[in-house]
């Protein structure tokens, strides 16, 4: 039984815009399509799956086969978007009961899975290995990465902390201190900035890439030498959305050994201790499209219009409490002209208000590089 | 090739920058901080004031001021003008003597140059007190200086070589030879307290010792000729003009007259008087006896008040026949001198004015006018009569308004003497200021002072008081201070320094003056916003009061701060000048943090930590109120911001406060007034807190800003503009507000047509809200027109004073947050251009203003730029709309939080900031508009160059910066860091001497606790009276004004 899902009139005719979805639950298949550019939210997708398979009474886990044939989970907006955007052209969805899920199947060991693509879906009970029970992460999102390993001295480490979209505090403190430098006149004591404290549960601590007494050398590429503690503090806060700090770790045993650089996509770690035996290195997390400089600076612009409030407005973000004025508001993420294609999820309201908007609004709307995505929810 | 061309372009740009920008600190306005010495030169009509920072300045006629700065960081304890014109000697509290000369700089201006210095060294092994100098007497011959010491010896030092003449030292032994044994055995002589030359006989000098003995020493025979056997602790001795009598003053508040004649070599006192007896009195540290033609002398002395009831007063008493007045100063009297009109040959002094240097102000009293009124000073005005809370600069005031303000000010100064300022030496060659600039300072006591800031002298024009609008406790106290005529002692309050505010809520926080409409708005600490208009006549007015609920009935918040001020119900009488007609009271009554006035639209807008409001002062109606509080921000409601103020800042502040008021704070311990004690206690607590802080390692939390942070709702900037807020085809009035949390609100305002302005309401609707992602406080909002030029001020275009703005769409919104500069397009808001500051160098914008920079080479070439002061004390110029940093100069030390907070810019690229509670430093970033003292003191070279070789003066205190132009430009090319060195080199100014490091700060603190011993010594007899000599060797009395 297959059903066409797409109800958006503007999108129906455009084949390349639509993503063909083949969803399998047990032995049953369902087929439908989704908009490639406006995939919507994960929650909506989840209910759609439940609905199409008629399995409203059970907890399920949704997985998909990526281009390498790996079975990857879909459990949040980010990996849902990823799945949609990677589908070429067919998106194969595998639905499993939560109770029956074999977590071993999800993984990054692509080599084995290339040999046995999707083999795990046969519920092969023969493969019983002692596994660390790692719960399935609810939200795959990079929190940190080690970057520029190839250009930095081995004693230094450049760490990028992704604060964006994360509720966790950065969670560290810095202090003044003295460090020993090799200068033309021999060894010299110079003032330096050091990490003095990591807040338990904070981003800095959870990455395991920073430790107390690490010396801070640079903040977003700018040397901190000669700057006061207050200046460095202000610099870090100003860069807090995309903070890159270069440190000289106090513990030099975990340094990246360049000759045996591991390949792997994971530069992030959930280990909460600072003492790793070996740290994986990566230039950049592969499956994450890092926001470019200006996107991170995107300001939120609300253009209040003077029309009466015929449209109910519900703020999707809790951080927004400006709806006190009785004006209907249109929200958009303002993107720079250099055309980043990163999208944010909007609400249906946006599309509606955009359609409803008068000429002056559409004027504001047709800017190049600015793209809005409303979700199409019609069942 | 392409690269080469670009290189050429950059070179060209660098050259333009040199023509536009140049950094100079030019002059200090106000009263020197912590003055410690005073001297007067009657021949040149000059006065010198030294301060604890090691700096001293010579003052003459208005705009004549020359600065000297000692290399040593030690207080100047004495200054003496030498008989040779243009030379002076200073004594520092490290016991070193310094000889200074007024020289000509290459560009013809007078500068002060240190010629040599001298340290008095005693016998090896002798205690240091033996050579500690207590008194300096420059002999009228100009050959020697006599130095009295604590050890009791008088040393003789040659001038100008400053070499000690050991064989001429007057030892105690030599003195004691002729003193009767019974007197001798009772006591040792003590330290030398007074050295005075006989005005009629330069070979005789009086030596007074602290234990009471006074001797007359003959220099020719090197022998004591007369002994005056006093048995009271001696404070000072003075000659009468005729040389026939001496007067000594004593520590018990008495003074004695002694006859000097050749008949009696050891006379008894003629008269011994305790002017404020019979109860115990305080010492008289200095006394003057001045004769008049009418034979009735003027006796002028410091102190001597009854110890029990008036011991805490700082008084100078003037006795003239039966007339006696004790001038009562609000701060410690440091020294005084008398300007006299007596010819050198005549027998009488004919005093005309008394000048008193108190710790916080300089007061001149006219002794010629019978009522002895105060003469208004043209300079050295205490800016801090009441602590300065804010300042506002208005450039290029229309003549009409200027004259009206002056007229209103003149009505306030009618009680001053009509006599001209008595010190009028030297002359200024500075050109007439090109325009009239007004500096407005808001004060803690609710006054706003208007200053003429066009030239070197900051002249007071007018003072506006806002107290009258409110009911305050002060009203009842007024009559208590008025003492009846027959009161004894006959105290009379003089001076304007009054550090005590009756009610801190009255403090003025924001000022905005529209120079075209003469409308003024001021806002204060307790959420009061006043709109005033200039009225040339006094009037009784009722002030319309409107309460504005910023929170808009949100009852979850509780204001725990101060109450609002209660306005007077009945009409209030306002003198001519600015008279309030509207009072808007914010509720809760939090400090007003931003304010703007649009006189064309008759709108005023104001913001507090809770939100902002827009008020139509024509209809006296609130237009819109917006609460900007985040629901979780409880702190903002707890009242004054004390809890979140950084400890560093509060420390600094309290140090300032202690220093600013310490003399009066200690001495004016009136029962019931615990303010001083509380302040002391607070200071102690702060100090303890500082110690604790240093024990714990200083660490800083790194966290992204969030909407939940405290004080995000704090309104930082408000801006009116006629622009395209709704769409690109129609422009109209708009209001922009920026908060501490990086949010900008834009409101479109609808104003009814002129005919219906009174009937139809003004309305405002929100059209935009911008949340800056980095959430840094918004410190400035401006709108640029299509050509990238800032929109003119209200009414500016209407008065044809500026080009009317380009109103063809594509306006740009310039938002300055503490962290970055950003230009957005309008009406659709999207980023066009930006410049990051904090992310790159860690500095944050503290003050920003738009200024126009004119080229000093090419006529008619000027550029607009943003003048920015960062929290590191750097001044930067940022071009608009390209947002490129043009120049960067170090200006204020980054530790000087109050200095940075007080900075105010002018439209012509100059600025002011407080270097002490009482002094503004003036600086200029423009190379065209530089206001600096350019003065000449003419010295008769025939006398002046007797021993001096005219060396080329390289680096005087006041070097016209243009002389260094070539050097500057060279450095400019080699990068900005070099130019900082350049700044350091040229700016040898008062500020550099002030509190250069923490060590000095600590020293000052320690002296705060125990400086009474020092002060007594400081204020003791170092009045220069050489000019009163009439011995023929004396240079003829001359006043050199205007050229020769």
């Amino acid at each position: 039984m297959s059903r066409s899902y797409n109800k958006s009139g503007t999108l129906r005719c455009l084949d390349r815009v639509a993503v063909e979805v083949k969803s399998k639950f047990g032995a049953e298949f369902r087929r439908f399509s989704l908009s490639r550019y406006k995939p919507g939210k994960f929650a909506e997708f989840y209910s759609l799956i439940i609905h199409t398979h008629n399995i409203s009474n059970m907890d399920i886990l949704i997985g998909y086969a990526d281009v390498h044939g790996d079975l990857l989970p879909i459990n949040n907006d980010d990996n849902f978007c990823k799945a949609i955007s990677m589908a070429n052209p067919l998106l194969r969805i595998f639905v499993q009961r939560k109770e029956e899920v074999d977590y071993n199947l999800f993984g990054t060991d692509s080599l084995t899975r290339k040999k046995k693509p999707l083999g795990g879906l046969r519920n092969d009970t023969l493969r019983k290995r002692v596994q660390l029970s790692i719960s399935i992460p609810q939200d795959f999102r990079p929190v940190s990465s080690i970057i520029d390993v190839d250009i930095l001295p081995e004693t230094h480490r450049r760490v990028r902390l992704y604060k964006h979209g994360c509720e966790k505090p950065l969670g560290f403190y810095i202090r003044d201190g003295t460090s020993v430098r090799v200068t033309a006149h021999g060894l010299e004591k110079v003032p330096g900035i050091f990490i003095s404290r990591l807040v338990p549960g904070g981003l800095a601590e959870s990455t395991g890439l920073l430790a107390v007494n690490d010396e801070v050398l640079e903040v977003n590429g700018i040397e901190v030498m000669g700057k006061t503690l207050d200046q460095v503090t202000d610099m870090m806060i100003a860069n807090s959305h995309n903070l890159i700090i270069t440190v000289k770790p106090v513990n030099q045993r975990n340094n990246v050994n360049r000759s045996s650089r591991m390949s792997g996509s994971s530069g992030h770690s959930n280990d909460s201790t600072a003492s790793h035996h070996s740290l994986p290195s990566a230039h950049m997390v592969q499956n994450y499209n890092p926001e470019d400089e200006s996107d991170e600076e995107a300001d939120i612009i609300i253009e209040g219009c003077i029309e009466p409030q015929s449209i109910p407005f519900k703020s999707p973000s809790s951080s927004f409490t400006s709806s006190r004025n009785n004006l209907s508001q249109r929200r958009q993420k303002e993107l720079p002209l250099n055309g980043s294609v990163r999208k944010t999820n909007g609400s249906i309201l946006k599309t509606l208000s955009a359609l409803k908007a008068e000429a002056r609004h559409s004027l504001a709307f047709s800017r190049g590089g600015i793209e809005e995505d409303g979700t199409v929810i019609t069942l | 090739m392409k690269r080469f061309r670009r290189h050429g372009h950059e070179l060209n740009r660098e050259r333009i920058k040199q023509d536009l920008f140049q950094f100079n600190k030019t002059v200090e306005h106000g009263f020197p901080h912590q003055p410690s010495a005073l001297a007067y030169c009657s021949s040149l009509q000059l006065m010198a004031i030294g301060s604890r920072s090691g700096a001293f300045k010579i003052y003459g006629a208005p705009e004549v001021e020359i600065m000297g700065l000692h290399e040593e960081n030690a207080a100047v304890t004495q200054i003496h003008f030498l008989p040779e014109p243009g030379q002076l000697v200073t004594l520092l509290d490290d016991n070193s003597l310094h000889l200074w000369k007024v020289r000509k700089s290459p560009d013809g201006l007078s500068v002060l140059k240190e010629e040599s210095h001298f340290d008095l060294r005693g016998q090896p092994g002798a205690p240091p007190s033996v050579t500690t100098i207590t008194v300096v007497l420059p002999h009228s011959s100009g050959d020697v200086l006599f130095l009295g010491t604590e050890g009791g010896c008088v040393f003789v030092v040659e001038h100008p070589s400053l070499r000690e003449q050991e064989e001429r030292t007057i030892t105690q032994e030599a003195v004691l030879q002729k003193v009767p044994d019974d007197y001798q055995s009772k006591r040792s002589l003590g330290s030398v307290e007074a050295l005075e030359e006989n005005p009629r006989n330069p070979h005789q000098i009086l030596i007074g010792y602290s234990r009471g003995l006074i001797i007359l020493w003959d220099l020719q025979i090197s022998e004591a000729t007369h002994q005056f056997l006093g048995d009271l602790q001696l404070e000072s001795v003075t000659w009468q003009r005729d040389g026939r009598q001496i007067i000594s003053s004593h520590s018990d508040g008495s003074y004695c007259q002694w006859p000097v004649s050749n008949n009696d070599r050891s006379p008894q006192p003629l008269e011994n008087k305790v002017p404020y007896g019979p109860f115990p009195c305080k010492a008289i540290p200095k006394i003057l006896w001045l004769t008049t033609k009418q034979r009735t002398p003027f006796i002028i002395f410091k102190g001597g008040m009854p110890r029990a009831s008036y011991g805490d007063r700082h008084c100078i008493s003037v006795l003239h026949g039966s007339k006696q007045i004790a001038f009562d100063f609000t701060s410690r009297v440091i020294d005084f001198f008398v300007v006299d009109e007596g010819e050198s040959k005549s027998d009488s002094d004919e005093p005309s004015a008394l000048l008193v240097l108190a710790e916080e102000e300089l007061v001149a009293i006219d002794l010629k006018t019978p009522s002895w009124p105060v003469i208004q000073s043209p300079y050295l005005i205490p800016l801090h009569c009441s602590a300065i809370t804010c300042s506002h600069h208005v450039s290029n005031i229309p003549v009409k308004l200027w004259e009206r303000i002056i007229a209103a000010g003149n009505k306030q100064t009618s009680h001053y003497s009509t006599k001209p300022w008595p010190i009028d030496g030297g002359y200024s060659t500075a050109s007439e200021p090109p325009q009239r600039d007004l500096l407005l300072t808001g004060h803690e006591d609710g006054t706003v002072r208007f200053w003429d800031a066009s030239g070197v002298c900051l002249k007071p024009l007018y003072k506006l008081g806002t107290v009258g609008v409110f009911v305050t406790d002060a009203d009842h106290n007024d009559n208590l201070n008025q003492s009846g005529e027959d009161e004894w002692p006959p105290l009379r309050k003089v001076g304007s320094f009054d550090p005590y505010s009756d009610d801190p809520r009255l403090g003025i926080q924001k000022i905005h003056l529209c120079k075209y409409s003469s409308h003024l708005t001021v806002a204060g600490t307790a959420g009061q916003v006043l709109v005033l208009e200039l009225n040339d006549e006094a009037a009784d007015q009722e002030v319309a009061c409107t309460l504005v609920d910023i929170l808009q009935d949100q009852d979850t918040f509780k204001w725990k701060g101060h109450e609002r001020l209660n306005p007077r119900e009945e009409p209030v009488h306002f003198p001519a000048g600015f008279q309030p007609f509207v009072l808007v009271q914010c509720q809760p009554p939090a400090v007003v943090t931003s304010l703007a006035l649009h006189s064309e639209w008759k709108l005023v807008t104001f913001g507090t930590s809770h939100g902002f409001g827009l008020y139509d002062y024509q209809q006296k109606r609130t237009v819109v109120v917006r609460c900007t509080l985040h629901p979780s921000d409880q702190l903002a409601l707890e009242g004054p911001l004390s809890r979140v103020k950084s400890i560093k800042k509060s420390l600094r502040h309290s140090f300032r406060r202690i220093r600013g008021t310490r003399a009066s704070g200690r001495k004016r311990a009136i029962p019931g007034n615990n303010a001083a004690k509380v302040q002391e206690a607070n200071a102690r607590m702060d100090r303890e807190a500082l110690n604790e802080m240093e024990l714990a390692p200083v660490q800083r939390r790194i966290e992204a800003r969030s909407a939940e942070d405290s004080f995000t709702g704090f309104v930082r900037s408000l801006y009116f503009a006629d622009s395209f807020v709704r769409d690109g085809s129609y422009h109209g009035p708009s209001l922009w507000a920026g908060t501490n949390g990086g949010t900008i609100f834009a409101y479109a305002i609808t104003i009814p047509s002129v005919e219906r302005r009174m009937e139809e309401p003004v309305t405002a609707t929100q059209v935009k809200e911008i949340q800056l992602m980095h959430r840094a406080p918004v410190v400035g909002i401006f709108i640029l027109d299509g050509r990238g030029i800032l929109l003119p001020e209200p009414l500016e275009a209407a008065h044809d004073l500026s080009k009317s703005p380009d109103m063809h769409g594509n306006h740009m919104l310039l938002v300055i947050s503490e962290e970055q500069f950003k230009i957005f397009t309008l009406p659709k808001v999207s980023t066009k251009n930006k410049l990051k500051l904090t992310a790159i160098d860690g500095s944050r914008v503290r003050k920003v203003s738009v200024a126009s920079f004119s080229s000093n080479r090419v006529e008619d070439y000027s550029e607009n730029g943003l003048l920015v002061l960062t929290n590191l004390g750097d001044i930067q110029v940022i071009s608009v709309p390209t947002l490129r940093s043009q120049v960067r100069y170090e200006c204020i030390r980054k530790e000087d939080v109050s200095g940075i907070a007080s900075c105010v810019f002018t439209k012509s690229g100059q600025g002011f900031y407080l270097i002490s509670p009482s002094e503004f430093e003036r600086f200029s970033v423009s190379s065209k508009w530089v206001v600096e003292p350019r003065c000449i003191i003419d010295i008769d070279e025939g006398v002046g160059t007797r021993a001096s070789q005219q060396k080329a003066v390289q680096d005087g205190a006041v070097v016209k910066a243009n002389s260094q132009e070539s050097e500057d430009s060279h450095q400019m090319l080699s990068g900005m860091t070099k130019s900082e060195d350049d700044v350091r080199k040229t700016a040898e100014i008062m500020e550099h001497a002030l509190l250069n490091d923490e060590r000095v700060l600590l020293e000052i603190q320690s002296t705060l606790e125990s400086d009474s011993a020092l002060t007594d010594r400081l204020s003791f007899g170092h009045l220069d009276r050489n000019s009163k000599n009439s011995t023929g060797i004396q240079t003829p009395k001359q006043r050199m004004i205007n050229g020769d």
Side-chain angles (χ1 to χ4, degrees), chain B residues 872-1037:
Chain B
L872 303 179
D874 291 345
I875 299 273
Q876 293 195 31
V877 178
I878 311 277
S879 63
V880 278
T882 50
L883 296 188
R884 294 229 176 78
S885 177
Q886 301 295 307
V887 282
R888 179 181 195 131
Y889 306 104
E890 274 180 29
C891 181
I892 312 177
R893 288 175 313 116
K894 63 171 176 278
E895 296 80 19
D896 189 0
V897 178
S898 318
I900 292 173
S902 65
C903 183
V904 55
F905 294 118
T906 79
K907 289 234 162 11
S908 58
Q910 303 187 43
F912 304 87
Y913 67 93
L914 289 172
I915 49 173
S916 66
S918 56
E919 269 172 302
F920 273 118
E921 177 74 51
R922 187 185 191 115
F923 61 87
S924 172
V925 187
S926 161
S927 56
K928 184 148 189 181
W929 304 122
V930 182
V931 173
E932 60 184 346
R934 295 176 62 81
C935 52
I936 296 175
I937 295 167
D938 276 323
I939 290 149
D940 190 341
E941 297 288 336
V943 185
T945 58
R946 189 186 59 144
S948 64
Q949 317 80 3
Q950 284 292 325
K951 280 185 285 181
V953 180
Q954 294 292 330
D955 48 348
V958 186
V959 175
K960 169 76 179 141
N962 289 342
S963 65
Q964 298 202 345
E965 215 161 40
S966 57
E967 205 177 339
D968 282 347
S969 57
H970 182 71
Q971 284 174 343
M972 199 80 84
L973 283 174
S974 53
M976 278 178 207
T977 46
K978 280 275 178 63
S979 63
E980 287 163 7
D981 300 346
D982 174 49
V983 170
R984 233 175 259 130
K985 202 167 53 198
T986 52
E988 189 183 295
I989 43 159
M990 187 79 83
E991 186 204 3
H992 283 224
L994 285 170
L995 307 170
N996 269 321
D997 53 23
E998 297 311 308
R999 189 178 53 79
V1000 179
L1001 199 70
L1002 287 176
E1003 271 173 24
I1004 287 180
Q1005 271 177 61
S1006 62
T1007 50
L1008 293 187
E1009 274 126 31
S1010 61
D1011 63 349
S1012 51
L1014 177 73
T1015 53
D1016 280 342
R1017 186 156 62 79
L1018 287 187
S1019 48
F1020 176 73
H1022 46 91
L1023 174 72
D1024 189 305
R1025 297 183 61 215
N1026 296 306
S1027 51
K1028 297 213 181 68
N1029 296 325
S1030 53
T1031 49
I1033 309 164
Q1034 171 74 16
T1035 56
K1037 188 167 272 199

Side-chain angles (χ1 to χ4, degrees), chain B residues 362 565 578 716 749 791 866:
Chain B
L362 179 79
L565 288 160
F578 285 94
R716 290 291 291 269
I749 307 171
L791 292 186
L866 287 175

Side-chain angles (χ1 to χ4, degrees), chain B residues 417-595:
Chain B
S417 164
T418 51
K419 288 271 186 319
W421 184 245
I423 311 285
D424 56 1
Y427 58 95
S428 170
T429 61
S431 51
E432 275 289 301
Q435 57 186 36
R436 292 157 302 274
D437 287 355
L438 203 55
L439 181 68
L440 281 73
T441 53
H443 298 262
E444 204 177 24
D445 62 354
T447 56
V448 178
R449 278 159 219 262
F450 289 60
W451 308 88
D452 172 4
S454 331
V456 173
C457 277
L458 195 65
K459 291 183 208 106
L461 296 180
Y462 166 71
K463 178 179 141 187
L464 161 72
T466 60
V467 193
V469 182
F470 305 101
V471 183
T472 55
D473 302 337
D475 302 345
H476 317 294
N477 299 339
D478 270 354
N479 38 13
L480 289 182
N481 294 335
Q482 246 112 72
S483 42
E485 284 298 308
D486 49 348
E487 199 87 357
W488 186 262
L491 293 170
R492 183 200 284 179
K493 275 240 177 284
V494 282
S496 53
F497 176 71
D498 179 14
Y500 296 100
S501 172
D502 298 315
D503 191 338
R505 292 177 297 169
L506 289 166
I508 303 292
Q509 297 293 337
K510 293 285 162 191
I511 305 171
H512 192 121
L513 171 70
C514 171
K515 60 186 176 187
Y516 304 111
S517 64
S518 316
H519 281 166
L520 171 73
T521 176
V522 298
T525 307
Q528 74 273 32
V529 179
L530 283 166
V531 185
L532 308 95
E533 67 187 339
L534 189 54
N535 188 347
D536 298 325
E537 301 298 329
D540 289 316
Q541 277 203 33
E542 201 159 352
V543 181
C545 179
T546 315
L547 216 59
V548 174
D549 180 20
I550 303 274
L551 292 180
Q552 296 182 288
D553 299 325
Q554 294 179 54
D555 39 12
T556 51
F557 293 122
K558 204 163 218 103
W559 169 252
K560 295 176 187 162
H562 47 239
E563 302 263 298
R564 69 184 175 94
L565 288 160
N566 289 317
R568 281 180 201 274
E569 303 286 331
E570 71 278 15
V572 186
H573 179 79
F574 295 107
F578 285 94
Q579 297 172 346
F581 62 98
V582 160
L583 167 65
V584 183
Q585 177 63 53
C586 300
Q587 198 64 23
V591 177
V592 175
T593 55
S594 55
L595 182 70

Side-chain angles (χ1 to χ4, degrees), chain B residues 240-496:
Chain B
Q240 279 188 19
R241 194 180 180 92
D242 55 10
R244 292 199 191 123
Q245 266 185 32
I246 59 168
I247 300 94
S248 63
S249 71
H250 303 277
S251 62
D252 65 345
S254 65
Y255 66 87
C256 293
Q257 283 171 269
W258 308 77
V260 183
S261 69
N262 288 334
N263 307 330
D264 186 358
R265 301 264 169 174
S266 182
Q268 288 303 303
L270 290 174
E271 194 179 18
N272 189 350
K273 252 189 168 169
V274 185
Y276 293 107
F279 298 110
C281 288
K282 297 207 64 166
I284 297 179
K286 176 169 173 174
I287 188 165
L288 293 180
W289 185 290
L290 300 150
T291 53
T292 58
K293 285 196 188 97
Q294 289 80 33
R295 295 273 160 220
T296 333
F298 276 93
I299 303 163
I300 302 173
F301 60 87
K302 171 187 168 185
M305 302 305 285
R307 186 175 288 277
S309 38
Y310 296 96
D312 56 344
R313 301 297 179 99
H314 315 289
C315 287
I316 299 258
S317 302
V318 181
L319 279 67
H320 181 62
S322 60
K323 196 167 150 193
Q324 178 170 358
I325 285 179
F327 292 100
D328 185 9
F329 294 85
T330 49
S331 56
R332 197 167 55 86
V333 172
I334 287 165
D335 202 353
F336 65 95
F337 66 82
V338 170
V339 177
D340 55 52
E341 293 172 342
E343 294 299 311
S344 50
K345 295 274 161 49
S346 81
D347 285 339
S348 60
D349 295 300
E350 293 303 319
S352 64
L354 166 69
L355 272 93
V356 182
L357 177 68
E359 184 118 64
E360 308 291 354
E361 60 192 322
L362 179 79
V363 178
I365 291 157
D366 174 11
L367 296 177
K368 283 283 177 192
T369 309
S371 62
W372 296 344
V374 171
I375 306 171
Q376 197 179 15
S377 0
Y379 47 71
L380 290 167
I381 316 282
L383 294 170
H384 60 317
C385 316
S386 169
I388 293 179
T389 43
C390 66
S391 26
H392 175 70
H393 186 274
V394 191
S395 303
N396 210 354
I397 302 286
V399 188
K400 183 78 188 142
L401 173 61
W402 189 257
E403 283 169 353
R404 289 175 73 192
I405 291 174
I406 289 176
N410 286 342
K411 287 181 189 157
Q412 295 179 325
T413 56
S414 50
H415 59 283
Y416 283 114
S417 164
T418 51
K419 288 271 186 319
W421 184 245
I423 311 285
D424 56 1
Y427 58 95
S428 170
T429 61
S431 51
E432 275 289 301
Q435 57 186 36
R436 292 157 302 274
D437 287 355
L438 203 55
L439 181 68
L440 281 73
T441 53
H443 298 262
E444 204 177 24
D445 62 354
T447 56
V448 178
R449 278 159 219 262
F450 289 60
W451 308 88
D452 172 4
S454 331
V456 173
C457 277
L458 195 65
K459 291 183 208 106
L461 296 180
Y462 166 71
K463 178 179 141 187
L464 161 72
T466 60
V467 193
V469 182
F470 305 101
V471 183
T472 55
D473 302 337
D475 302 345
H476 317 294
N477 299 339
D478 270 354
N479 38 13
L480 289 182
N481 294 335
Q482 246 112 72
S483 42
E485 284 298 308
D486 49 348
E487 199 87 357
W488 186 262
L491 293 170
R492 183 200 284 179
K493 275 240 177 284
V494 282
S496 53

Side-chain angles (χ1 to χ4, degrees), chain A residues 170 196 230 302-303 334, chain B residues 699-700 703 768-769 771 831:
Chain A
L170 283 171
S196 62
D230 286 330
I302 299 170
E303 304 264 348
E334 188 236 343
Chain B
Q699 54 177 9
R700 296 273 183 274
E703 207 48 74
K768 284 179 199 324
E769 179 176 331
Q771 172 64 60
T831 313

Side-chain angles (χ1 to χ4, degrees), chain B residues 750-790:
Chain B
T750 318
I751 297 169
S753 60
V754 183
E755 310 85 63
R756 310 195 53 84
R757 182 66 178 81
M758 279 314 284
E759 294 101 60
E760 286 175 22
V762 176
T763 56
T765 37
Q766 184 176 340
V767 286
K768 284 179 199 324
E769 179 176 331
I770 303 169
Q771 172 64 60
L772 298 178
M773 201 47 139
H774 59 285
R775 293 189 185 278
V778 177
V779 292
I781 302 173
F782 300 103
I783 287 180
L784 311 172
D785 72 4
R787 294 182 293 250
I789 299 164
L790 186 80

Side-chain angles (χ1 to χ4, degrees), chain A residues 243-352:
Chain A
L243 183 61
I244 302 168
I245 39 183
T246 310
V247 293
K248 188 175 160 197
V250 64
N251 182 352
Q252 290 282 336
R253 281 175 300 165
N254 295 330
N255 289 337
V256 172
N257 187 351
R258 263 189 219 158
S259 51
S260 64
R261 193 180 298 157
M262 290 170 64
S263 66
S265 62
S266 165
H268 38 92
S269 158
N270 287 315
D271 195 340
S272 59
T273 66
S275 58
H276 279 269
H277 294 297
S278 81
L279 285 166
S281 71
H283 292 266
M284 199 59 75
V285 182
Q286 295 302 312
N287 61 354
Y288 180 72
N289 183 19
E291 300 157 304
D292 61 315
E293 239 261 288
S294 37
D295 190 28
E296 148 248 328
E297 288 294 322
D299 307 316
I300 299 163
I301 319 277
I302 299 170
E303 304 264 348
C305 47
I306 7 158
E307 267 75 47
Q309 60 277 34
S310 56
I311 306 162
F313 178 81
K314 186 171 172 280
S315 175
S317 156
S318 61
S319 68
F320 237 98
T321 54
S322 53
S323 51
R324 198 176 291 121
N325 58 334
N326 296 326
L327 303 167
S328 86
Q329 289 164 324
R330 190 164 56 79
R331 156 180 301 204
Q332 73 179 74
K333 188 108 175 175
E334 188 236 343
L335 297 180
L337 297 170
N338 59 7
S340 157
V341 289
R342 183 164 158 74
K343 302 171 196 97
T344 50
N345 297 305
S347 69
I348 186 162
L349 172 72
K350 283 187 200 165
T351 333
L352 289 176

